[in-house]
Amino acid sequence: MVIVIPFIAVVSTSLADESQIRSAGGYVLWPTAPTFEAYRAVFSGGIVTRATIVSIGVTAVGTGLSLVVTTCLAYALSRPGTFAHRPILLLVLFTMLFSAGMIPNYLLIKSLGLLDSYWSLILPGLVTGFQVVLMRGFFLEIPRELVDAARIDGAGELRTLWSVVLPMSKAPIAVVGLFNAVAYWNAFFNAVLYINSTEKWPLQLVLRTYVVDKNEILATIGEAPPPQESLQMAILVISLVPICLIYPFLQKHFAKGVMIGAVKG
């Protein structure tokens, strides 16, 4: 109930009209006359629609690239005899304990010429040490005989990874993919640091701006806007829907993948 009631209040308030919100004191648990006026006003304003497209693109590209890089790095670190295997593994573990910090990261992005570009939202979170360790732990559990049989049949490392290892790794791939998708979808701090153009803002930064500055949301709606509370809750619901839709399809792999990471980590 602690989770469900606030969620119902957010959805109900986004569907309530001004008179009901005023009588309820700000938040509505059940709208008597549901209206989608707040959603129509939000999507007709332009900035939320554009920010939603930006967030979807960054999440899709970032999650896909992260899965490719994390999988390849974890597979290489799970194979004995890989070039610089131990130093690279120690470097990955080092990043789990220490981070460079905000200012060095900003200077790095600036020196690479990525300020005010979408890549500044994608590249900083492309690889994390925890996800590499999680995937490597699963790859180490795959029987060596299967990999050796593929090598005897003439398969190279990429062919072995694609045809033998990946079909057996749906659980960790689902977990890492969900972690990355949620992280990219909810991220707004990188946009605060690196993005100057408002047309490149992701949805979470737009949501933060609207929650912090209520006048900002009214300026983009025009005449006779819906109540501020309805608009804020509508944007919040829009930001929640994609992750809520994705999670049920990955849930069956999620528990298994997390348990693997817990045991091997």
Side-chain angles (χ1 to χ4, degrees):
M1 295 301 290
V2 174
I3 298 175
V4 172
I5 291 178
F7 187 79
I8 293 176
V10 167
V11 176
S12 300
T13 305
S14 70
L15 299 175
D17 56 22
E18 185 169 7
S19 60
Q20 192 174 3
I21 291 176
R22 296 291 174 262
S23 62
Y27 294 98
V28 178
L29 282 180
W30 189 258
T32 54
T35 174
F36 291 92
E37 186 64 22
Y39 293 92
R40 188 199 62 77
V42 165
F43 281 111
S44 64
I47 185 171
V48 176
T49 306
R50 186 170 57 244
T52 303
I53 296 173
V54 170
S55 287
I56 292 175
V58 169
T59 301
V61 175
T63 302
L65 289 177
S66 181
L67 278 176
V68 172
V69 175
T70 301
T71 301
C72 292
L73 179 58
Y75 178 70
L77 294 178
S78 69
R79 297 287 296 154
T82 304
F83 173 74
H85 169 275
R86 191 169 185 80
I88 294 176
L89 179 59
L90 291 176
L91 184 63
V92 170
L93 296 176
F94 181 81
T95 62
M96 296 176 64
L97 302 176
F98 304 99
S99 63
M102 182 176 63
I103 294 177
N105 283 330
Y106 178 84
L107 294 176
L108 175 61
I109 294 297
K110 182 180 180 180
S111 65
L112 294 175
L114 297 178
L115 288 179
D116 206 28
S117 74
Y118 294 125
W119 289 111
S120 65
L121 305 177
I122 295 174
L123 294 181
L126 195 63
V127 180
T128 64
F130 168 74
Q131 294 173 1
V132 173
V133 171
L134 178 71
M135 294 281 283
R136 177 178 177 271
F138 184 84
F139 291 157
L140 288 174
E141 286 192 339
I142 296 177
R144 289 285 305 276
E145 290 79 7
L146 292 176
V147 177
D148 292 341
R151 298 301 302 273
I152 292 173
D153 290 340
E157 293 293 352
L158 288 178
R159 180 70 176 176
T160 303
L161 174 63
W162 180 260
S163 300
V164 177
V165 176
L166 289 185
M168 303 174 63
S169 309
K170 294 179 181 178
I173 290 175
V175 171
V176 172
L178 184 60
F179 281 165
N180 282 293
V182 173
Y184 277 115
W185 182 261
N186 289 333
F188 75 94
F189 194 63
N190 285 341
V192 173
L193 290 177
Y194 307 134
I195 300 297
N196 299 320
S197 305
T198 55
E199 62 268 18
K200 294 181 180 179
W201 279 6
L203 183 60
Q204 301 300 333
L205 185 54
V206 173
L207 173 62
R208 172 191 170 276
T209 303
Y210 283 171
V211 171
V212 172
D213 187 0
K214 295 181 179 180
N215 294 325
E216 184 80 16
I217 190 171
L218 299 178
T220 63
I221 300 302
E223 297 182 355
Q228 294 177 356
E229 293 81 0
S230 293
L231 292 171
Q232 291 173 339
M233 296 304 108
I235 298 173
L236 185 57
V237 171
I238 293 169
S239 69
L240 290 173
V241 166
I243 297 302
C244 293
L245 292 178
I246 292 174
Y247 183 77
F249 296 99
L250 301 178
Q251 194 273 337
K252 64 179 180 180
H253 301 297
F254 189 77
K256 180 181 178 182
V258 170
M259 288 301 297
I260 292 170
V263 173
K264 297 301 292 185

